[in-house]
Amino acid sequence: MFARLNMNEKMERLIESAAEIIAAARRIAVLTGAGVSAESGVGTFRDAQTGLWSRFDPQQLASQEGFAADPGRVWRWYMHRLEMVERARPNPGHAALAALEAMTPTFTLITQNVDDLHERAGSRNVLHLHGRIERFHCNGCGLPYTLRMEDRDAPMPPTCTFCTDYIRPSVVWFGELLPAQELAEAQRAAETCDVFLVIGTSGVVYPAAHLPVMAKRRAAPIIEVNPEESALSEMAEIWLSGPSGALLPRLVEAVRLRRAGQENPR
Ligand code: OAD
């Protein structure tokens, strides 16, 4: 039947099917990745031409070994990334997720992103699995650190007043453990949700990529939004193929109309 429909009609039907599932859900869990911030101008990691990891070596910039080898290079790279994130503005995809949270009894937004665009769009229950780029702590003793203006242009990271080790951004580097409490809360949300949304992630970094698997095992349907096929697309009941900034507002509006219909049945 779909063969006779044009692309737009096909997408409309898929959005309606996804909206039906979401509108019936009381507990929603969402996993976002770099793709949700792409339309805000924050680069993704693995997209072939534009992805950060096609131009930079993650081992040099996002690992303890890389930091030990050249702390200045790592510091300057993160200061540059921080400035980019601060300049970026939330896009309609971020706003749509905040709107969906406002109309859902239990909503958990699990993000792999280190930016704060979800919060700036109005999302409240956000779990940052990979840390936050605007926060800092000592690489030696873990003491939190407040960034000063002069640190931003410094060639080397500042040092800890307590133990003199270098200060680093509070993001998770390769080979490091995820924040335990965030991960536990994310796993609980995945195991108890009625539907799990996967948005703008390649789904290749674990343990984040395992969360939809946990949801699926508990029979929660998976709905994906991504212009490209990801490692998680195969397990998705519905794949909305397109950019989240364009599709999420349409999806959330369709959910809102259905919810309004549920509240005011004719
Ligand atoms: P990736 O760069 O691996 O994947 C980005 C995904 O976003 C791809 O599947 C794209 O197709 C999709 N995408 C691109 N533009 C999009 C758009 N406008 N709307 C929706 N989707 C779009 O980023 P992540 O999956 O987030 O980890 O990467 C996971 C982790 O790997 C990151 O958190 C980071 C990285 O190494 C750490 O830094 C620990």
Side-chain angles (χ1 to χ4, degrees), residues 6 10 20 33-34 41 60 70 73 108 118 124-125 127 130 134 145 151 183 194 206 214 217 223 237 247 263:
N6 69 33
K10 237 195 240 181
E20 188 180 348
Q60 285 182 1
D70 195 340
R73 175 171 55 191
T108 310
H118 283 307
R124 303 175 79 87
N125 192 22
L127 300 173
H130 293 167
E134 83 284 9
Y145 179 84
D151 297 330
L183 180 59
D194 303 318
Y206 287 81
M214 293 172 83
R217 272 194 203 137
I223 295 171
E237 267 68 22
L247 292 183
E263 278 162 24

Side-chain angles (χ1 to χ4, degrees), residues 199-214:
I199 300 163
T201 178
S202 55
V204 295
V205 173
Y206 287 81
H210 190 59
L211 295 167
V213 180
M214 293 172 83

Side-chain angles (χ1 to χ4, degrees), residues 1-53:
M1 179 177 64
F2 271 1
R4 277 195 241 121
L5 300 173
N6 69 33
M7 289 297 280
N8 209 18
E9 287 169 329
K10 237 195 240 181
M11 180 55 76
E12 213 42 63
R13 288 194 174 206
L14 285 173
I15 287 176
E16 283 305 323
S17 305
E20 188 180 348
I21 296 171
I22 296 168
R26 292 190 60 78
R27 305 173 74 96
I28 300 177
V30 184
L31 174 67
T32 65
V36 81
S37 295
E39 287 154 273
S40 294
V42 182
T44 61
F45 294 95
R46 293 179 186 77
D47 282 298
Q49 300 299 321
T50 53
L52 283 171
W53 295 156

Side-chain angles (χ1 to χ4, degrees), residues 1-221:
M1 179 177 64
F2 271 1
R4 277 195 241 121
L5 300 173
N6 69 33
M7 289 297 280
N8 209 18
E9 287 169 329
K10 237 195 240 181
M11 180 55 76
E12 213 42 63
R13 288 194 174 206
L14 285 173
I15 287 176
E16 283 305 323
S17 305
E20 188 180 348
I21 296 171
I22 296 168
R26 292 190 60 78
R27 305 173 74 96
I28 300 177
V30 184
L31 174 67
T32 65
V36 81
S37 295
E39 287 154 273
S40 294
V42 182
T44 61
F45 294 95
R46 293 179 186 77
D47 282 298
Q49 300 299 321
T50 53
L52 283 171
W53 295 156
S54 67
R55 290 177 289 139
F56 300 101
D57 179 356
Q59 283 309 319
Q60 285 182 1
L61 296 167
S63 73
Q64 277 295 345
E65 296 72 29
F67 192 49
D70 195 340
R73 175 171 55 191
V74 173
W75 182 255
R76 291 189 302 276
W77 192 71
Y78 277 99
M79 287 301 102
H80 171 71
R81 297 265 305 151
L82 174 65
E83 202 189 312
M84 191 171 72
V85 163
E86 286 172 340
R87 272 205 311 263
R89 296 283 165 265
N91 67 55
H94 296 107
L97 289 174
L100 184 60
E101 177 171 11
M103 60 174 103
T104 306
T106 305
F107 188 93
T108 310
L109 178 44
I110 308 155
T111 187
Q112 299 164 87
N113 299 346
V114 297
D115 65 52
D116 61 350
L117 293 173
H118 283 307
E119 285 88 347
R120 281 198 262 151
S123 288
R124 303 175 79 87
N125 192 22
V126 187
L127 300 173
H128 281 270
L129 282 188
H130 293 167
R132 301 182 65 151
I133 197 167
E134 83 284 9
R135 296 195 180 164
F136 297 86
H137 66 269
C138 171
N139 195 41
C141 69
L143 196 72
Y145 179 84
T146 304
L147 194 71
R148 302 166 305 173
M149 274 314 279
E150 60 265 38
D151 297 330
R152 290 175 177 262
D153 299 322
M156 292 293 283
T159 50
C160 178
T161 46
F162 186 65
C163 77
T164 74
D165 209 332
Y166 283 126
I167 300 298
R168 55 168 286 180
S170 300
V171 302
V172 177
W173 284 336
F174 287 98
E176 293 183 328
L177 292 176
L178 272 57
Q181 197 183 334
E182 273 85 350
L183 180 59
E185 281 183 45
Q187 288 169 336
R188 201 173 321 126
E191 284 182 328
T192 55
C193 65
D194 303 318
V195 58
F196 194 102
L197 311 190
V198 180
I199 300 163
T201 178
S202 55
V204 295
V205 173
Y206 287 81
H210 190 59
L211 295 167
V213 180
M214 293 172 83
K216 181 98 182 170
R217 272 194 203 137
R218 301 280 176 125

Side-chain angles (χ1 to χ4, degrees), residues 237-255:
E237 267 68 22
I238 298 176
W239 169 29
L240 301 177
S241 169
S244 50
L247 292 183
L248 282 176
R250 287 169 67 183
L251 176 63
V252 172
E253 176 59 10
V255 173

